[in-house]
């Protein structure tokens, strides 16, 4: 178990380091998001062993609430900004969420319609 924790920790820090390098090179997204993308890609292509990272990742997810405490403290630290622009922030969150869900829904319908027509054609 301890080997798996070290393996997972190394994998996460390696991917975060790659994310920081990519963020430094092209910016655009936060380094941690690039790191998560690298982590997913390494798992997807079999360069990381999923059985070795599963238990540690489950433990991390179980205790994720602790990681979000700094974010809530940041909200309290910027209370005046939220007080003045709170309505605008909420409207933009609702609007962008609606746009995102609409886009994903349309994309899913198109993808599912295409995959269903391909599977129907393949069974004839």
């Amino acid at each position: 178990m301890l080997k798996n924790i070290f393996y997972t920790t190394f994998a996460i820090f390696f991917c975060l380091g790659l994310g920081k390098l990519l963020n430094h090179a092209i910016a655009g997204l936060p380094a941690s998001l690039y790191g998560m993308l690298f982590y997913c890609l390494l798992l997807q292509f079999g360069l990381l062993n999923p059985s070795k990272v599963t238990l540690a990742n489950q433990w991390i997810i179980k205790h994720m609430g602790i990681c979000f405490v700094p974010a809530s403290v940041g909200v309290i630290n910027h209370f005046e900004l939220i007080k003045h622009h709170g309505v605008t922030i909420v409207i933009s969150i609702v609007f962008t969420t609606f746009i995102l869900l609409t886009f994903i829904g349309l994309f899913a319908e198109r993808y599912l319609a295409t995959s269903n027509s391909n599977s129907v054609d393949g069974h004839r």
Side-chain angles (χ1 to χ4, degrees):
M1 175 66 181
L2 191 59
K3 285 175 124 178
N4 292 346
I5 292 172
F6 287 130
Y7 181 85
T8 305
T9 303
F10 175 78
I12 290 171
F13 280 112
F14 177 74
C15 291
L16 182 60
L18 288 175
K20 286 188 179 286
L21 287 173
L22 190 59
N23 178 268
H24 182 70
I26 63 174
L29 296 174
S32 57
L33 188 56
Y34 284 130
M36 286 190 287
L37 290 171
F38 281 121
Y39 192 70
C40 289
L41 289 172
L42 291 176
L43 283 168
Q44 185 68 30
F45 293 123
L47 298 172
L48 286 178
N49 186 347
S51 63
K52 287 186 177 182
V53 298
T54 300
L55 288 176
N57 285 340
Q58 287 173 345
W59 183 86
I60 291 169
I61 290 169
K62 181 179 174 184
H63 295 90
M64 192 178 285
I66 296 168
C67 298
F68 288 111
V69 170
S72 59
V73 170
V75 168
I76 297 302
N77 286 339
H78 294 90
F79 183 72
E80 286 298 316
L81 180 66
I82 293 170
K83 185 175 160 184
H84 293 298
H85 302 288
V87 174
T88 306
I89 293 170
V90 170
I91 289 171
S92 66
I93 289 171
V94 170
F95 181 71
T96 56
T97 302
F98 177 76
I99 296 283
L100 180 66
L101 289 175
T102 302
F103 174 75
I104 290 172
L106 293 172
F107 180 76
E109 276 185 359
R110 179 170 289 154
Y111 175 76
L112 292 174
T114 304
S115 65
N116 284 341
S117 68
N118 288 341
S119 64
V120 171
D121 292 340
H123 288 90
R124 288 186 184 181

